[in-house]
Amino acid sequence: MAGWLRPLAGTLLLLEVAAAVSFLHHRYEEMVRALFRVQSECPYVTRIYSIGRSVEGRHLYVLEFSDYPGIHEPLEPEFKYVGNMHGNEVLGRELLLQLSEFLCEEYRRGSERVTRLLHDTRIHIMPSMNPDGYEVAAKQGPDGIGYLTGRNNANGVDLNRNFPDLNTFMYYSGEISGPNHHIPLPDNWKSQVEPETLAVIQWIGSYNFVLSANLHGGAVVANYPYDKSQDQRFRSHRRTANTPTPDDKLFQKLAKTYSYAHGWMHRGWNCGDYFVDGITNGASWYSLSKGMQDFNYLYTNCFEITLELSCNKFPPKEDLERQWMANREALVAFIEEIHQGIKGMVTDKNNNGIAGAVISVQGISHDVTSGEMGDYFRLLLPGTYTVTASAEGYQPQTVTATVGPAAPSLVHFQLKQDMVKKAPERKASGTRTNNKTLQKKVVPRSVRRGTQR
């Protein structure tokens, strides 16, 4: 390169970097350009796809980070962030755009931490689940915005009250000891949800997500399931109806990971409210029905928490950089939490993956299932566990697994076919057995190849 071009090239690079990290509120078109800019800067580790459209036809874009974009690699867990579910709660949207830029830039400069994260994790980032609501809120801006303006989608529906109510099925059909994993959807569920909700349900049914967070505003706290109280008589009272999941201690640890990595969430006193360690059980705060957080836990393999990130739902642009610095480490540290517990392959005797195998942990009444390739992921705290893998047409297998504080333990299962015993053979000398026709050997049932939840 000619000598006189080098200063010009350097100046252009600085301008490009400055533009990329500007702290601004992004309208829909600007958000889309920001996503595609990241994809063009890191083309070999990113992919952009749309899971559907909003009521007004805006794409629900997702930016994926992976060393093999668009491909699920066996034993590599899937993670997701969802922002801007409420259109007027905008900080999560901006933080996820900043996170996307950060991951790309850190990967390009050779950061060992980010490179390892992208090589070992498939990360999906949706900055806005409610782009229509955002546009309504953004027209007024941070100064003139009403508290609820733009919260709902274009049909006036709160998307975080729009998922099928699987909690009620669990609480009242099977009581608290009833099924609380992979609960089937009601037959008419599609007619009861909004286009954005439908797109998300189909999305999380297409990927075997393991860990997730949805980003909100209006408080500063890490909220974990269940959101809906078992006893709805308590729904109007705050902090009176703690309703834990079977994975309550794990969820508390996940929430604390974000809270203590955040600039001030862990202090507890925020927005005129107090939460010990900056975390709360959702139903203990207030009961919420038909929310996305509980739906993830009850319908899929995914463990999701809700992150309330700012007292001001639409903070001024001057506050965005401070908020990014407060959340940057927490956003990365929370993704890293996906690498704990146990994971492995469930295969048959020929090493073919078995999809839909159920992974049960003794003492924790919440199961997960294997994906289409036969790989499974079960988040667990450090300890020793009795784990069973079972699948239709196979004999279950039980092992003891020890989980350490760092990387997940590899626990593989190879299941044997469940052969039905042969019927008694005819006796010698031509005599008959009770004059009945002898049964034929029954052919073993084939494995039901289920799809990922």
Side-chain angles (χ1 to χ4, degrees):
M1 180 183 295
W4 66 272
L5 285 177
R6 289 193 179 93
L8 177 60
T11 301
L12 291 175
L13 179 60
L14 288 174
L15 290 174
E16 180 183 352
V17 172
V21 297
S22 295
F23 293 95
L24 302 169
H25 287 291
H26 294 74
R27 300 291 286 265
Y28 176 73
E29 291 79 7
E30 296 165 336
M31 179 190 74
V32 173
R33 284 197 293 270
L35 291 174
F36 277 90
R37 182 173 61 242
V38 172
Q39 202 280 325
S40 67
E41 292 172 350
C42 292
Y44 301 111
V45 291
T46 60
R47 174 178 73 108
I48 292 177
Y49 64 96
S50 172
I51 68 167
R53 291 179 182 264
S54 67
V55 172
E56 295 181 345
R58 295 181 175 90
H59 278 288
L60 305 178
Y61 280 118
V62 177
L63 177 63
E64 173 192 335
F65 283 89
S66 172
D67 53 344
Y68 289 95
I71 299 173
H72 173 75
E73 300 174 70
L75 299 178
E76 182 172 284
E78 309 261 356
F79 178 94
K80 63 181 167 71
Y81 272 133
V82 178
N84 201 206
M85 186 180 196
H86 290 145
N88 63 333
E89 298 172 11
V90 305
L91 180 59
R93 173 187 179 115
E94 299 305 327
L95 291 177
L96 293 182
L97 290 177
Q98 290 292 335
L99 176 64
S100 301
E101 287 281 1
F102 176 76
L103 293 176
C104 175
E105 291 173 2
E106 290 295 290
Y107 183 81
R108 290 173 66 186
R109 77 174 187 85
S111 164
E112 181 180 346
R113 182 186 188 189
V114 171
T115 299
R116 181 172 63 251
L117 191 62
L118 268 59
H119 285 186
D120 295 344
T121 323
R122 193 179 180 196
I123 303 167
H124 306 255
I125 298 175
M126 181 193 289
S128 182
M129 181 180 166
N130 186 4
D132 298 350
Y134 176 87
E135 293 302 309
V136 173
K139 286 179 181 178
Q140 294 194 49
D143 297 326
I145 191 170
Y147 189 74
L148 297 178
T149 302
R151 175 185 176 91
N152 299 338
N153 76 343
N155 286 334
V157 176
D158 185 334
L159 297 179
N160 206 30
R161 311 291 191 279
N162 190 233
F163 285 79
D165 185 3
L166 301 183
N167 298 73
T168 295
F169 177 87
M170 175 182 64
Y171 293 154
Y172 303 114
S173 297
E175 299 300 331
I176 196 66
S177 60
N180 60 5
H181 46 86
H182 302 97
I183 297 175
L185 300 180
D187 293 337
N188 62 341
W189 71 273
K190 289 185 179 180
S191 65
Q192 299 177 356
V193 300
E194 292 297 299
E196 297 90 345
T197 310
L198 173 63
V200 168
I201 292 175
Q202 292 175 334
W203 180 42
I204 65 179
S206 301
Y207 293 83
N208 191 11
F209 289 115
V210 178
L211 183 63
S212 172
N214 69 86
L215 281 56
H216 288 251
V220 178
V221 64
N223 176 107
Y224 56 90
Y226 291 118
D227 267 338
K228 183 172 182 177
S229 169
Q230 184 184 359
D231 190 341
Q232 287 294 288
R233 291 176 298 175
F234 295 140
R235 63 186 174 186
S236 62
H237 301 286
R238 296 163 69 89
R239 302 183 185 83
T240 56
N242 183 61
T243 308
T245 68
D247 289 286
D248 187 58
K249 291 182 179 180
L250 172 61
F251 271 118
Q252 289 187 43
K253 191 248 188 181
L254 293 170
K256 286 181 181 179
T257 295
Y258 198 95
S259 175
Y260 276 88
H262 185 276
W264 52 82
M265 184 183 288
H266 60 279
R267 298 173 186 170
W269 285 109
N270 292 291
C271 314
D273 217 335
Y274 180 72
F275 300 96
V276 177
D277 293 318
I279 70 172
T280 185
N281 171 263
S284 180
W285 186 11
Y286 63 89
S287 185
L288 183 161
S289 184
K290 300 183 179 180
M292 183 167 69
Q293 175 177 267
D294 288 2
F295 181 83
N296 269 268
Y297 186 70
L298 296 174
Y299 181 60
T300 76
N301 291 325
C302 190
F303 287 48
E304 177 166 292
I305 67 172
T306 300
L307 299 172
E308 300 278 355
L309 297 176
S310 61
C311 304
N312 190 338
K313 289 175 178 284
F314 204 125
K317 67 178 182 180
E318 292 79 14
D319 194 36
L320 294 179
E321 184 173 5
R322 182 180 74 97
Q323 293 286 354
W324 165 243
M325 296 308 296
N327 284 275
R328 183 179 66 184
E329 172 59 26
L331 287 166
V332 176
F334 186 73
I335 298 174
E336 292 172 331
E337 285 295 290
I338 202 170
H339 298 289
Q340 63 177 303
I342 60 174
K343 66 178 182 179
M345 299 294 300
V346 183
T347 60
D348 61 17
K349 65 178 182 180
N350 297 317
N351 292 321
N352 298 311
I354 300 175
V358 177
I359 309 300
S360 305
V361 179
Q362 185 176 336
I364 305 177
S365 57
H366 184 83
D367 300 339
V368 300
T369 56
S370 60
E372 291 181 346
M373 294 184 177
D375 54 342
Y376 77 90
F377 308 84
R378 206 337 173 162
L379 300 179
L380 292 168
L381 293 172
T384 300
Y385 300 89
T386 301
V387 186
T388 300
S390 58
E392 184 178 352
Y394 293 87
Q395 299 174 15
Q397 182 182 357
T398 300
V399 300
T400 299
T402 299
V403 175
S409 300
L410 278 175
V411 181
H412 300 303
F413 295 91
Q414 190 169 52
L415 304 186
K416 299 178 180 179
Q417 282 191 308
D418 187 8
M419 305 294 290
V420 178
K421 294 181 179 180
K422 295 181 180 181
E425 297 180 356
R426 289 182 181 271
K427 294 182 180 181
S429 69
T431 59
R432 297 181 179 180
T433 306
N434 296 328
N435 200 29
K436 293 181 179 179
T437 304
L438 293 175
Q439 295 177 328
K440 296 181 179 179
K441 178 181 177 181
V442 179
V443 178
R445 291 172 292 178
S446 61
V447 183
R448 184 171 59 192
R449 305 286 292 188
T451 58
Q452 292 183 345
R453 286 287 190 178

